[in-house]
Amino acid sequence: MRDTRLLRLRTLPLLGLLAALLLPLGLILAPGATAAPAAADPVRVMPLGDSITGSPGCWRALLWNRLVAAGHTDIDFVGTLPAQGCGVAHDGDNEGHGGELVTNVADQNLLPARLAATRPDIVVMHFGTNDVWSGVAPDRILAAYTELVGQMRESDPDMRVLVAQIIPMNPSTCAACAQRVVDFNARIPAWAAATDTDRSPVTVVDQWTGFDTATDTYDGVHPNDAGNVKIAARWFPALDAILDAGVPNDPDDPTEPGDATCTASFRAVSTWQGGYQAEVTVRNTSAAPLTGWTVTVVPADGARVSQLWNGTLGTTADGTASVTNASWNGTLAPDASTAFGFIATTSATSATPTATVDCTATS
């Protein structure tokens, strides 16, 4: 468990402007301000994204200080990257990699190692700007979102995920980008509703409405001081509500040591016209052996599971599949895993099949 690290940086003229901008929001930043000591087991929050999050991503500093001012002294911002300036004392750890595409992170399987190194309880994700700029289709970006959320849940079955409808973009070199952002953001709420579970909720945070590239960015893409204030102000209520409610395994909301838990992750194996083959990996995330498991599979785009192996299949009228373990793969030791495969039929033409999967364990 890492201790919360407060980065005491040189106070720059920027600080005065940020403080003035934050006064209407009820947040006061004093030069040299520091957070109160963290609790023994702080709630770990990962800011995840690209340069808007990490280069330098000064909205993180404003958000951190506003959370501390609201009484959340038991938090730890985490990530494999350090703070990159801003002139405001804050916990600057983050996972905002400049220039990164969320589709590349998914395709190259980059997130699991970052999660293992930092073990977040909550992920705050503003990701996809570079994908939209590069003309990547919304279906493919959302498929990457689905893969990343699955990896988050493998890291922590109780992961809380905040996902932004990304800020507007209007760079001088991309006339089509502004509308692409609108089109992509319109798809996010339905994706989130399909991905959300009671155990690992997905919350959409609207960072687009009220954000003006002419006044809130310095280049049509990256936030300026006013933009950072707006971004922090939009994240705050959603994150504040999660912290107030408590997350499992935090000091105020411990889980029972005997609870049986498992995760499920989806992987498309191959595709063809009218169908695809997929594999779902089931992992025991409990401290004790499991004696059985059940996975719900909700294929996207109206697909239906037609064949299945290494499990027992049940389906409902809406296409949801319920898969229980076979007689020989239901018992799993702690951290052990097994897999089942299936064939799905679909009329969609998406090149990247997706499905929402959720696991329930028996101890």
Side-chain angles (χ1 to χ4, degrees), residues 201-257:
V202 176
T203 302
V204 176
V205 176
D206 180 4
Q207 291 286 0
W208 189 89
T209 302
F211 197 100
D212 187 341
T213 57
T215 58
D216 299 326
T217 73
Y218 60 83
D219 60 357
V221 180
H222 299 89
N224 58 19
D225 299 338
N228 283 318
V229 170
K230 287 185 176 181
I231 293 173
R234 287 298 178 91
W235 283 128
F236 174 77
L239 187 51
D240 177 61
I242 291 176
L243 293 170
D244 280 344
V247 298
N249 297 320
D250 77 11
D252 300 318
D253 189 15
T255 57
E256 294 297 324

Side-chain angles (χ1 to χ4, degrees), residues 19-60:
L21 289 168
L22 285 167
L23 285 174
L25 301 173
L27 172 62
I28 300 175
L29 293 175
T34 60
D41 189 13
V43 178
R44 296 179 295 275
V45 181
M46 173 188 280
L48 174 64
D50 46 41
S51 59
I52 291 171
T53 296
S55 303
C58 289
W59 61 261
R60 291 181 289 102

Side-chain angles (χ1 to χ4, degrees), residues 50 97 99-106 127-128 130-131 134 136 140:
D50 46 41
H97 296 255
E100 203 160 62
L101 279 69
V102 68
T103 48
N104 286 348
V105 172
F127 218 167
N130 291 309
D131 303 78
S134 301
V136 179
R140 189 172 173 221

Side-chain angles (χ1 to χ4, degrees), residues 327-347:
S327 60
W328 51 270
N329 64 356
T331 301
L332 295 176
D335 202 40
S337 64
T338 188
F340 63 86
F342 66 85
I343 301 294
T345 58
T346 178
S347 58

Side-chain angles (χ1 to χ4, degrees), residues 295-299 302-305 313-323 356:
V295 174
T296 57
V297 181
V298 184
R304 295 290 187 270
V305 176
L313 174 64
T315 58
T316 62
D318 65 357
T320 300
S322 177
V323 181
T356 302

Side-chain angles (χ1 to χ4, degrees), residues 56-68:
C58 289
W59 61 261
R60 291 181 289 102
L62 308 182
L63 178 60
W64 165 267
N65 279 280
R66 185 166 186 180
L67 289 167
V68 170

